[in-house]
Amino acid sequence: MSHVVVVGGGPGGLSAALFTAKNGLETSLFDQGETALRFAHLLNYLGIDSVDGEAFLHAAREQADAVGVHRHDERVVEVEDDGEEFVVVTETGTYAADYLVLATGQARELAAQLRCELDHDGTVLVDRNGRTSVEDVYAVGWLTRKDKVQAVISAGDGAAAALDVLSTVERAPFHDFDTPRDVTVGRRLGRRDDSTARNA
């Protein structure tokens, strides 16, 4: 099974982890709660009237946990591409990943370690799916935008990157589209088993 590592627990990182874990990929998220969203109050996030940033993050973390995201309160200090997989080094351990999603806000050190190409404004250069110049490395949110940073945009970036990872794994376009029928009573998200997951 492919292993996805997401570094950063803001809206972009949590969204990416939610989509990959929900659709059956082993997903680890490294989050020390340092996202700028903890200082915000959301009044412009589609579908939410008004919510404190910390309360939003709490709900988003619970949502990610419910679909099997393995969250780690560890700081990632180094990432390396050894030619076969990515080696993610924290202050307490080492992890391997097939796909890496960077959602580190304005901190670009990990992207620099991997030699991701930068745009003219110093942000990480990505395509519309969040792909960087390094194969199987994605960057989302503030890392890729100097301006126009909003929680809802970052969440969309994370979702786009996750769907691209899923499409790469499946070798076909992957669509995550749930219907009321997919939701099981008592489940918050309606996580699907392999037998009901759809790849259209």
Side-chain angles (χ1 to χ4, degrees):
M1 175 190 295
S2 295
H3 185 198
V4 179
V5 164
V6 180
V7 184
L14 284 163
S15 178
L18 173 70
F19 272 75
T20 56
K22 174 177 179 275
N23 289 291
L25 299 186
E26 183 183 354
T27 304
S28 299
L29 182 140
F30 293 86
D31 171 23
Q32 290 199 298
E34 296 176 353
T35 172
L37 189 62
R38 67 186 198 263
F39 304 114
H41 191 97
L42 298 180
L43 293 169
N44 58 357
Y45 198 104
L46 184 65
I48 296 176
D49 181 48
S50 172
V51 66
D52 177 75
E54 282 283 10
F56 175 87
L57 287 168
H58 179 75
R61 290 173 184 138
E62 284 191 338
Q63 195 176 23
D65 292 346
V67 296
V69 173
H70 305 287
R71 286 193 301 118
H72 304 270
D73 182 13
E74 298 177 51
R75 187 169 77 86
V76 174
V77 295
E78 185 179 350
V79 289
E80 177 186 331
D81 182 355
D82 71 4
E84 293 185 6
E85 60 189 6
F86 299 102
V87 179
V88 178
V89 181
T90 72
E91 294 170 320
T92 59
T94 302
Y95 302 81
D98 301 297
Y99 299 91
L100 187 62
V101 179
L102 302 176
T104 54
Q106 291 183 300
R108 300 188 177 108
E109 294 82 4
L110 299 181
Q113 288 176 17
L114 291 165
R115 294 185 172 83
C116 294
E117 187 178 343
L118 301 183
D119 209 340
H120 65 279
D121 61 2
T123 59
V124 177
L125 184 65
V126 295
D127 69 8
R128 65 185 302 171
N129 294 307
R131 291 183 196 146
T132 70
S133 59
V134 178
E135 188 174 4
D136 298 329
V137 176
Y138 295 77
V140 302
W142 209 343
L143 192 58
T144 68
R145 301 171 185 276
K146 188 169 184 179
D147 302 307
K148 299 179 183 171
V149 180
Q150 295 289 326
V152 70
I153 294 173
S154 294
D157 286 350
L163 288 179
D164 197 73
V165 169
L166 287 157
S167 296
T168 302
V169 169
E170 294 294 323
R171 298 182 180 178
F174 191 97
H175 304 281
D176 184 306
F177 184 83
D178 294 308
T179 68
R181 183 177 67 208
D182 297 318
V183 181
T184 304
V185 175
R187 287 184 174 173
R188 296 197 55 209
L189 280 177
R191 184 179 184 189
R192 297 174 294 204
D193 334 335
D194 294 338
S195 60
T196 57
R198 288 181 309 284
N199 175 19

